[in-house]
Amino acid sequence: MNHIAGSLEQYSTLIWHWPIAVYLFLAGLSAGAAMTSLMVKWIEGNNKAPWDGLIKAGALLAPLTICLGLFLLIFDLTRPLHFWKLLIHYNFSSVMTLGVLGLFIYTPLSFIYAAIKFKPWLFETGPFAGLLKPFKGIIDSIGDNPAWLERTLFLFAVIIGIYTGFLLSAMYSYPLFNTPLLPILFLASGLSSGVAASILFGLLFFKSEVNQKNAKYLLELDLRVVPMELLLLFALFVGMYFQGGDKTLVAIQALTTGVWAYVFWVGVIGIGIATPLLIAVTALKHHAYRVGYILLNSVVVLVGVVFLRLYILYAGQTFIG
Amino acid sequence: MAKKYAMIHDSNLCIGCQACNVACRSENQLPESVYRLQVWIKPEEYPNGTLGYEYHRQSCVHCENTPCVNVCPTHASFKNEDGIVLVDVDLCVGCLYCVAACPYQARYVDPVTKAPNKCTFCYESRLSRGEEPACVTVCPTEALVFGDLNDPQSKINTVLSERVTYQQKERLGTNPKMFIVPNHKGGIKS
Amino acid sequence: MTQMLSRRGFLKLSSTAAAVAGFSSIPGTLGAMDEVKKQYKGNTKFTPSICEMCTSSCTIEARVEDGKGMFIRGNPKDKSRGGKVCARGSAGFNQLYDPQRLVKPIMRVGERGEGKWKEVSWDEAYAFIAKKLDEIKQKYGAHTVAFTARSGWTKTWFHNLAQAYGSHNLFGHEATCPLAYGMAAKDVYNHGSIGRDFAKAKYIINMGHNVFEGIVISYARAYMDALSHGAKLVTLEPRLSTMAAKSTEWHAIKPGHDLAFVLAFIHTLIHENLYDKKFVEKYCEGFEELKASVEPYTPEKMAVECDIPADTIKRLAREFSKAAPKAVFDYGHRVTFTPQELELRRAMMMVNALVGAVEKEGGYYLGKSADFYNQFIGEGDPKAPKLKKPKIPAYPKVSVPRIDRIGEKDSEFFLASKGAGIVTLIPHAALTELPGVGYKIHGWFIARNNPVMTQSNMENVIKALQAMDLVVVHDIQVSDTAWFADVVLPDTTYLERDEEFTASGSKNPSYGVGRQKVVEPIGDARPGWRVAKELGEKMGLSAYFPYKDIEDYRLQQVGDNIDLLAKLKANGSESFGVPLLLQDKKSVANFVKKFPSAVVHVNEEGTIDFPHKIKLFSPKLEEVSKKGALSYEPYKYKENDELYFINGKSAVRTNGHNGNNLWLNNLLDDAAVWIHPKTAGRLGIKNGDNIEVYNKYSSQKGKALVTKGVREDTVFAYFGFGHVSKELKRAYGKGVNSNALYSPHVSQNCGMNLHIAGVKVKKA
């Protein structure tokens, strides 16, 4: 029988496109960078200015990337001029509302935290010193080591990292999204991207201020998180496979069908996971400090996480059983 | 007392003629490129080797537990007191979370307002005038039955007690208020 | 008072209405008009009327909805249609505001079919047509202009004009669609219309009467009613139509071989003594001739022909006779399946007579027009009113035969009415002098008909149009036929038009309002009654149009029965008396209760005898063409290396008429051709491939739909696709035009086209 019901275009299940994947990546990276910065700062001896380059890199990345992400998010709305309605209407059963509330707290905190780390530049040497002077008193009054602020920031960084996963996993219309492991996977990969970006950023822009010991600490951290991601991905797909029905079908399709299967095996696994592990057991064996390889390692981790977000978003919306 | 509006699509009576599809367009003045309602005719080969067609009504199923309303950050998508899921375009920011979250692909983005929209059981137009939804009004073979589940005397309750029905994707717990009478020829597909 | 909305306000409020999207610059179209000139007023209360999106003429009602558009539904007062309407009916509003619709007269300035037009006033158009008609009259005689009009209303106006002008060559579309079954009814039952009580039937045999796609609302509902009550439905059709899919049994019969099946079916009924002897003896004549004529057609022999196993044929005959009288052998609607159409339909109709399922619940019944009904009512009881016609002078006598020779003593088409005629002969008669006719057709006046699209062999039709001295088309759009016309006159859509009242009858006499306008005509479109009258006046024929306007005409129709007029306008329809089934005791008792004088007609069994014998053998057909008995003549439809090509109706687009409707075109704009997986595999064709369907007549490009729902030796396409008028912008050139692939065949005795051809298919 011919199809006589009219165009099927509106039934495409591909609703969210690359800006959302990039937002998910940037939000995770922001959260990861904030955590990275705090973890390095919490290492004994790192709690006073001049701040380690890695602390500064993470502190700067966190607010910048979340803002960039939110920009993308707003302009990806079909009614971007109405975005402010998100800020005054809340639905507490919606992960998006919860995310908005989380970002309400997380974003300003990340700015204050960065301001503390860049006090001299902001208020004395930088081009905006004159403009920002009135705020100096506030930042000064917070002090260099505000435990409440740092703990809250860390907590909300974790929340933001996880929320990006829940945003997708709350939808049972898509089997690949609707899995309890997705938020953890996103948190882990967010942390890994935060670490990588901090190293990359620190070594590129604050190289002289980076303590080799701190860099090694982060590399070790990354080396633990990356295999963790592999484990989570493994558990996610195997778990889906054993759930039966649509889930089984989607798990198989997503790993074997079309361009997204290539993205997964080459981009996510090959570039994002295998390459860093390979670098770790070869070039950076026994914690060798080879800046070139460390930078390469960071780049492949970041590229891998971008692929992961793209893969999950697109494969999730493509394979629905 | 609040109403609980629901619909039955009897695929034995349905002939896939699209009268509902066009009546909906006419009543709701839909933009040319989008549909609130289509009937998909799918060829089927039954286990005994015979051939036939299955008729699927593609539209909002008006869930009791509404994924679309749950995910909407601004309450632009809401369920009204009569159990009908509606969109308040004014509140909508266009995040399309509802479009993505709907397991029934019932929502489209209106090319004019850019906000998602969907079947409303003709709530704004016809129900308020005491009329049935346009699709029900025109259906040549009376494959659609509409009514209030809270009214024990309603035709829909009578029909529900007489015919075997199922709801699509019941396992998701959405509890749609669209009941399907399966084609006698084939097995029940949910 | 009803509230009126201005069109401009209406449009402003419905800014998203697809109907006004896009503009057309073709002279005379709605899209080319000044916004200011588009005056529009609409009724916001439901107005009962009749649909015209296809020819089924279902009862509807429509209203303009405040600030939104228009809603069309079935007329709920019509019980047989239950207030329902199909997709095409719902899309009527879209036709009204189609920017591609014609709203001013246009005249050709280039060659025919070149598409160069100029806008003219009605006066100019009338003057041109009148002058040309006069020229033809002087040169060849008025009878050399053929007038074709759509069934019903359109015929009333234009056939009147034709005869006043002096032409007796009047035609409808019938010979391309339903004619043969009407002829068969006249021959077998001596009656113009045979009803089928599908709803009450327990057993129905359907041979390609696909009312679930070629939707007639009342039939679709009645069939569904029967199915819901557990009736057995057996469909014999080469493809899996919706009807076939809903059936209890579907048998993919070989295209063109239906008659073989029916003859074997009758053979079984007679040879196994399954027929109703009492009924046949009392009410039928010619049984012995029938018995003798079907003698050779054993199920075993015919099985080879029609591809239905002999056992199946016999089983179905046994089951059918067991279910009788609640049994209907559906005689179909579009009757273009075989060159032996008249035999086929007569044979089908004889089946019901053989099992005595006539004028009984769940079987056939004779349509009860006022005249037929009134004959059973005696003095003293009220009789069903008859609609009158305005008094007009006698038409000029024409001394030569019509091109189909209807009215001549030896005409093979004697069973066709003069209003239907054999329209399929026009292209032939324009190109050659037909035997026994003595002249060629030189002009064609076509009202609301599209022969380029609907007659078999498009090339032949176009060639005929090109050869004519004058081609005039009255239509709402530049149809494929209008594309080749000299003048195109813009018709109103049915939502803008009042029509004459109608009288008909199913189980009792009924009357219809015809059409009532819901909105005022847009632009300068004019309805048929007005065009015929105005043109007639221009030609000095005012005496033949003794009515001021349609309202006046209707008043003359009802005479002093103002009550009927009021009821028809308010309700859309009206019936008289009680349903009557002559062979049903209860019904007859009811009838006598209502009309006591009828008691004299009741026989000893409490029923009423048929006023005429049912003819199982036709002396007149025997006399004219030796076809009194049933016979089967094998016909070569295709070469051995060809496939059968057949067509059918889709539920969302019908015929040549509504394919360009935006809403409907969006539902289905390039109907893919059905081809069996094995055949497709052999030809290297995959689902969705571009293909070419070709034979000696045409080569058509389309898409392939690979499906098991069609016989291996057959390809199927919906018709009404592959339009050739470039003014039908949405539908132009999309899909396979099935009529282009058919031969210009005109069947013996019934004049039907033949909708089966041999084709080859290849990947394009």
Side-chain angles (χ1 to χ4, degrees), chain C residues 475-495:
Chain C
D475 206 324
I476 59 160
Q477 59 196 357
V478 184
S479 68
D480 309 275
T481 305
W483 182 249
F484 296 96
D486 304 318
V487 191
V488 190
L489 305 171
D491 192 4
T492 46
T493 71
Y494 65 104
L495 296 166

PDB file of all heavy atoms in Angstrom, chain C residues 475-495:
ATOM      1  N   ASP C 475     -14.822  24.749 -15.975  1.00  0.00           N
ATOM      2  CA  ASP C 475     -14.220  23.997 -14.870  1.00  0.00           C
ATOM      3  C   ASP C 475     -13.693  24.980 -13.845  1.00  0.00           C
ATOM      4  O   ASP C 475     -13.568  26.164 -14.130  1.00  0.00           O
ATOM      5  CB  ASP C 475     -13.082  23.104 -15.386  1.00  0.00           C
ATOM      6  CG  ASP C 475     -12.851  21.880 -14.505  1.00  0.00           C
ATOM      7  OD1 ASP C 475     -12.983  21.991 -13.266  1.00  0.00           O
ATOM      8  OD2 ASP C 475     -12.533  20.813 -15.059  1.00  0.00           O
ATOM      9  N   ILE C 476     -13.346  24.464 -12.677  1.00  0.00           N
ATOM     10  CA  ILE C 476     -12.810  25.354 -11.642  1.00  0.00           C
ATOM     11  C   ILE C 476     -11.317  25.591 -11.808  1.00  0.00           C
ATOM     12  O   ILE C 476     -10.738  26.440 -11.166  1.00  0.00           O
ATOM     13  CB  ILE C 476     -13.060  24.794 -10.225  1.00  0.00           C
ATOM     14  CG1 ILE C 476     -12.400  23.419 -10.079  1.00  0.00           C
ATOM     15  CG2 ILE C 476     -14.545  24.710  -9.923  1.00  0.00           C
ATOM     16  CD1 ILE C 476     -12.178  23.029  -8.646  1.00  0.00           C
ATOM     17  N   GLN C 477     -10.696  24.818 -12.678  1.00  0.00           N
ATOM     18  CA  GLN C 477      -9.252  24.940 -12.840  1.00  0.00           C
ATOM     19  C   GLN C 477      -8.888  24.655 -14.295  1.00  0.00           C
ATOM     20  O   GLN C 477      -9.709  24.160 -15.055  1.00  0.00           O
ATOM     21  CB  GLN C 477      -8.534  23.945 -11.925  1.00  0.00           C
ATOM     22  CG  GLN C 477      -8.932  22.496 -12.202  1.00  0.00           C
ATOM     23  CD  GLN C 477      -8.566  21.526 -11.094  1.00  0.00           C
ATOM     24  OE1 GLN C 477      -7.958  21.904 -10.105  1.00  0.00           O
ATOM     25  NE2 GLN C 477      -8.942  20.269 -11.271  1.00  0.00           N
ATOM     26  N   VAL C 478      -7.667  24.981 -14.668  1.00  0.00           N
ATOM     27  CA  VAL C 478      -7.232  24.667 -16.025  1.00  0.00           C
ATOM     28  C   VAL C 478      -6.858  23.189 -16.030  1.00  0.00           C
ATOM     29  O   VAL C 478      -5.713  22.798 -15.848  1.00  0.00           O
ATOM     30  CB  VAL C 478      -6.057  25.555 -16.483  1.00  0.00           C
ATOM     31  CG1 VAL C 478      -5.704  25.254 -17.930  1.00  0.00           C
ATOM     32  CG2 VAL C 478      -6.422  27.022 -16.335  1.00  0.00           C
ATOM     33  N   SER C 479      -7.895  22.361 -16.174  1.00  0.00           N
ATOM     34  CA  SER C 479      -7.713  20.912 -16.150  1.00  0.00           C
ATOM     35  C   SER C 479      -6.883  20.481 -17.351  1.00  0.00           C
ATOM     36  O   SER C 479      -6.579  21.296 -18.230  1.00  0.00           O
ATOM     37  CB  SER C 479      -9.084  20.232 -16.203  1.00  0.00           C
ATOM     38  OG  SER C 479      -9.653  20.463 -17.482  1.00  0.00           O
ATOM     39  N   ASP C 480      -6.569  19.211 -17.407  1.00  0.00           N
ATOM     40  CA  ASP C 480      -5.770  18.696 -18.525  1.00  0.00           C
ATOM     41  C   ASP C 480      -6.496  18.894 -19.847  1.00  0.00           C
ATOM     42  O   ASP C 480      -5.869  19.100 -20.883  1.00  0.00           O
ATOM     43  CB  ASP C 480      -5.478  17.214 -18.292  1.00  0.00           C
ATOM     44  CG  ASP C 480      -4.903  16.992 -16.911  1.00  0.00           C
ATOM     45  OD1 ASP C 480      -3.694  17.136 -16.749  1.00  0.00           O
ATOM     46  OD2 ASP C 480      -5.685  16.728 -15.970  1.00  0.00           O
ATOM     47  N   THR C 481      -7.828  18.844 -19.793  1.00  0.00           N
ATOM     48  CA  THR C 481      -8.606  19.075 -21.003  1.00  0.00           C
ATOM     49  C   THR C 481      -8.651  20.565 -21.318  1.00  0.00           C
ATOM     50  O   THR C 481      -8.481  20.975 -22.467  1.00  0.00           O
ATOM     51  CB  THR C 481     -10.029  18.512 -20.831  1.00  0.00           C
ATOM     52  OG1 THR C 481      -9.915  17.134 -20.471  1.00  0.00           O
ATOM     53  CG2 THR C 481     -10.828  18.640 -22.114  1.00  0.00           C
ATOM     54  N   ALA C 482      -8.843  21.372 -20.274  1.00  0.00           N
ATOM     55  CA  ALA C 482      -8.865  22.826 -20.459  1.00  0.00           C
ATOM     56  C   ALA C 482      -7.547  23.305 -21.057  1.00  0.00           C
ATOM     57  O   ALA C 482      -7.499  24.296 -21.795  1.00  0.00           O
ATOM     58  CB  ALA C 482      -9.126  23.521 -19.129  1.00  0.00           C
ATOM     59  N   TRP C 483      -6.499  22.613 -20.747  1.00  0.00           N
ATOM     60  CA  TRP C 483      -5.166  22.940 -21.276  1.00  0.00           C
ATOM     61  C   TRP C 483      -5.180  22.983 -22.811  1.00  0.00           C
ATOM     62  O   TRP C 483      -4.432  23.720 -23.431  1.00  0.00           O
ATOM     63  CB  TRP C 483      -4.173  21.901 -20.747  1.00  0.00           C
ATOM     64  CG  TRP C 483      -2.748  22.088 -21.151  1.00  0.00           C
ATOM     65  CD1 TRP C 483      -2.024  21.299 -21.992  1.00  0.00           C
ATOM     66  CD2 TRP C 483      -1.859  23.130 -20.724  1.00  0.00           C
ATOM     67  NE1 TRP C 483      -0.742  21.770 -22.116  1.00  0.00           N
ATOM     68  CE2 TRP C 483      -0.607  22.897 -21.354  1.00  0.00           C
ATOM     69  CE3 TRP C 483      -2.001  24.233 -19.876  1.00  0.00           C
ATOM     70  CZ2 TRP C 483       0.500  23.728 -21.161  1.00  0.00           C
ATOM     71  CZ3 TRP C 483      -0.908  25.051 -19.682  1.00  0.00           C
ATOM     72  CH2 TRP C 483       0.330  24.804 -20.324  1.00  0.00           C
ATOM     73  N   PHE C 484      -6.074  22.197 -23.418  1.00  0.00           N
ATOM     74  CA  PHE C 484      -6.160  22.136 -24.885  1.00  0.00           C
ATOM     75  C   PHE C 484      -7.374  22.897 -25.423  1.00  0.00           C
ATOM     76  O   PHE C 484      -7.732  22.756 -26.580  1.00  0.00           O
ATOM     77  CB  PHE C 484      -6.225  20.676 -25.345  1.00  0.00           C
ATOM     78  CG  PHE C 484      -4.973  19.905 -25.003  1.00  0.00           C
ATOM     79  CD1 PHE C 484      -4.910  19.125 -23.856  1.00  0.00           C
ATOM     80  CD2 PHE C 484      -3.851  19.996 -25.823  1.00  0.00           C
ATOM     81  CE1 PHE C 484      -3.751  18.436 -23.533  1.00  0.00           C
ATOM     82  CE2 PHE C 484      -2.691  19.294 -25.499  1.00  0.00           C
ATOM     83  CZ  PHE C 484      -2.644  18.524 -24.346  1.00  0.00           C
ATOM     84  N   ALA C 485      -8.027  23.688 -24.564  1.00  0.00           N
ATOM     85  CA  ALA C 485      -9.259  24.356 -24.971  1.00  0.00           C
ATOM     86  C   ALA C 485      -8.974  25.721 -25.589  1.00  0.00           C
ATOM     87  O   ALA C 485      -7.882  26.271 -25.467  1.00  0.00           O
ATOM     88  CB  ALA C 485     -10.172  24.514 -23.762  1.00  0.00           C
ATOM     89  N   ASP C 486     -10.012  26.248 -26.270  1.00  0.00           N
ATOM     90  CA  ASP C 486      -9.925  27.605 -26.807  1.00  0.00           C
ATOM     91  C   ASP C 486     -10.376  28.614 -25.763  1.00  0.00           C
ATOM     92  O   ASP C 486      -9.821  29.695 -25.660  1.00  0.00           O
ATOM     93  CB  ASP C 486     -10.819  27.726 -28.042  1.00  0.00           C
ATOM     94  CG  ASP C 486     -10.463  26.689 -29.090  1.00  0.00           C
ATOM     95  OD1 ASP C 486      -9.253  26.466 -29.303  1.00  0.00           O
ATOM     96  OD2 ASP C 486     -11.379  26.080 -29.672  1.00  0.00           O
ATOM     97  N   VAL C 487     -11.398  28.250 -25.041  1.00  0.00           N
ATOM     98  CA  VAL C 487     -11.921  29.121 -23.989  1.00  0.00           C
ATOM     99  C   VAL C 487     -12.111  28.275 -22.740  1.00  0.00           C
ATOM    100  O   VAL C 487     -12.607  27.151 -22.814  1.00  0.00           O
ATOM    101  CB  VAL C 487     -13.308  29.693 -24.371  1.00  0.00           C
ATOM    102  CG1 VAL C 487     -13.715  30.791 -23.395  1.00  0.00           C
ATOM    103  CG2 VAL C 487     -13.313  30.205 -25.787  1.00  0.00           C
ATOM    104  N   VAL C 488     -11.690  28.816 -21.607  1.00  0.00           N
ATOM    105  CA  VAL C 488     -11.955  28.133 -20.348  1.00  0.00           C
ATOM    106  C   VAL C 488     -12.792  29.063 -19.482  1.00  0.00           C
ATOM    107  O   VAL C 488     -12.392  30.202 -19.199  1.00  0.00           O
ATOM    108  CB  VAL C 488     -10.661  27.746 -19.602  1.00  0.00           C
ATOM    109  CG1 VAL C 488     -10.991  26.832 -18.429  1.00  0.00           C
ATOM    110  CG2 VAL C 488      -9.665  27.074 -20.537  1.00  0.00           C
ATOM    111  N   LEU C 489     -13.967  28.572 -19.106  1.00  0.00           N
ATOM    112  CA  LEU C 489     -14.880  29.371 -18.296  1.00  0.00           C
ATOM    113  C   LEU C 489     -14.766  28.932 -16.843  1.00  0.00           C
ATOM    114  O   LEU C 489     -14.851  27.733 -16.554  1.00  0.00           O
ATOM    115  CB  LEU C 489     -16.317  29.165 -18.803  1.00  0.00           C
ATOM    116  CG  LEU C 489     -16.526  29.444 -20.297  1.00  0.00           C
ATOM    117  CD1 LEU C 489     -17.921  28.996 -20.721  1.00  0.00           C
ATOM    118  CD2 LEU C 489     -16.308  30.917 -20.599  1.00  0.00           C
ATOM    119  N   PRO C 490     -14.587  29.869 -15.928  1.00  0.00           N
ATOM    120  CA  PRO C 490     -14.396  29.483 -14.524  1.00  0.00           C
ATOM    121  C   PRO C 490     -15.700  29.084 -13.852  1.00  0.00           C
ATOM    122  O   PRO C 490     -16.624  29.893 -13.758  1.00  0.00           O
ATOM    123  CB  PRO C 490     -13.817  30.746 -13.894  1.00  0.00           C
ATOM    124  CG  PRO C 490     -14.344  31.865 -14.731  1.00  0.00           C
ATOM    125  CD  PRO C 490     -14.492  31.329 -16.123  1.00  0.00           C
ATOM    126  N   ASP C 491     -15.760  27.865 -13.404  1.00  0.00           N
ATOM    127  CA  ASP C 491     -16.926  27.377 -12.670  1.00  0.00           C
ATOM    128  C   ASP C 491     -16.773  27.774 -11.204  1.00  0.00           C
ATOM    129  O   ASP C 491     -15.658  27.974 -10.726  1.00  0.00           O
ATOM    130  CB  ASP C 491     -17.001  25.847 -12.797  1.00  0.00           C
ATOM    131  CG  ASP C 491     -18.327  25.278 -12.315  1.00  0.00           C
ATOM    132  OD1 ASP C 491     -19.220  26.073 -11.955  1.00  0.00           O
ATOM    133  OD2 ASP C 491     -18.461  24.033 -12.312  1.00  0.00           O
ATOM    134  N   THR C 492     -17.870  27.873 -10.514  1.00  0.00           N
ATOM    135  CA  THR C 492     -17.818  28.029  -9.060  1.00  0.00           C
ATOM    136  C   THR C 492     -17.504  26.672  -8.457  1.00  0.00           C
ATOM    137  O   THR C 492     -17.834  25.642  -9.044  1.00  0.00           O
ATOM    138  CB  THR C 492     -19.192  28.475  -8.530  1.00  0.00           C
ATOM    139  OG1 THR C 492     -20.182  27.653  -9.154  1.00  0.00           O
ATOM    140  CG2 THR C 492     -19.454  29.935  -8.856  1.00  0.00           C
ATOM    141  N   THR C 493     -16.882  26.665  -7.283  1.00  0.00           N
ATOM    142  CA  THR C 493     -16.759  25.388  -6.596  1.00  0.00           C
ATOM    143  C   THR C 493     -18.117  25.091  -5.971  1.00  0.00           C
ATOM    144  O   THR C 493     -18.962  25.982  -5.852  1.00  0.00           O
ATOM    145  CB  THR C 493     -15.704  25.429  -5.475  1.00  0.00           C
ATOM    146  OG1 THR C 493     -16.220  26.229  -4.407  1.00  0.00           O
ATOM    147  CG2 THR C 493     -14.394  26.014  -5.970  1.00  0.00           C
ATOM    148  N   TYR C 494     -18.285  23.855  -5.555  1.00  0.00           N
ATOM    149  CA  TYR C 494     -19.602  23.453  -5.035  1.00  0.00           C
ATOM    150  C   TYR C 494     -19.973  24.204  -3.762  1.00  0.00           C
ATOM    151  O   TYR C 494     -21.137  24.273  -3.400  1.00  0.00           O
ATOM    152  CB  TYR C 494     -19.649  21.940  -4.808  1.00  0.00           C
ATOM    153  CG  TYR C 494     -18.702  21.426  -3.744  1.00  0.00           C
ATOM    154  CD1 TYR C 494     -19.170  21.070  -2.484  1.00  0.00           C
ATOM    155  CD2 TYR C 494     -17.349  21.297  -3.990  1.00  0.00           C
ATOM    156  CE1 TYR C 494     -18.312  20.600  -1.514  1.00  0.00           C
ATOM    157  CE2 TYR C 494     -16.484  20.830  -3.022  1.00  0.00           C
ATOM    158  CZ  TYR C 494     -16.966  20.482  -1.780  1.00  0.00           C
ATOM    159  OH  TYR C 494     -16.108  20.017  -0.820  1.00  0.00           O
ATOM    160  N   LEU C 495     -19.001  24.785  -3.093  1.00  0.00           N
ATOM    161  CA  LEU C 495     -19.306  25.501  -1.853  1.00  0.00           C
ATOM    162  C   LEU C 495     -19.845  26.899  -2.127  1.00  0.00           C
ATOM    163  O   LEU C 495     -20.263  27.612  -1.226  1.00  0.00           O
ATOM    164  CB  LEU C 495     -18.046  25.585  -0.975  1.00  0.00           C
ATOM    165  CG  LEU C 495     -17.532  24.235  -0.498  1.00  0.00           C
ATOM    166  CD1 LEU C 495     -16.127  24.350   0.069  1.00  0.00           C
ATOM    167  CD2 LEU C 495     -18.463  23.643   0.553  1.00  0.00           C
TER     168      LEU C 495
END
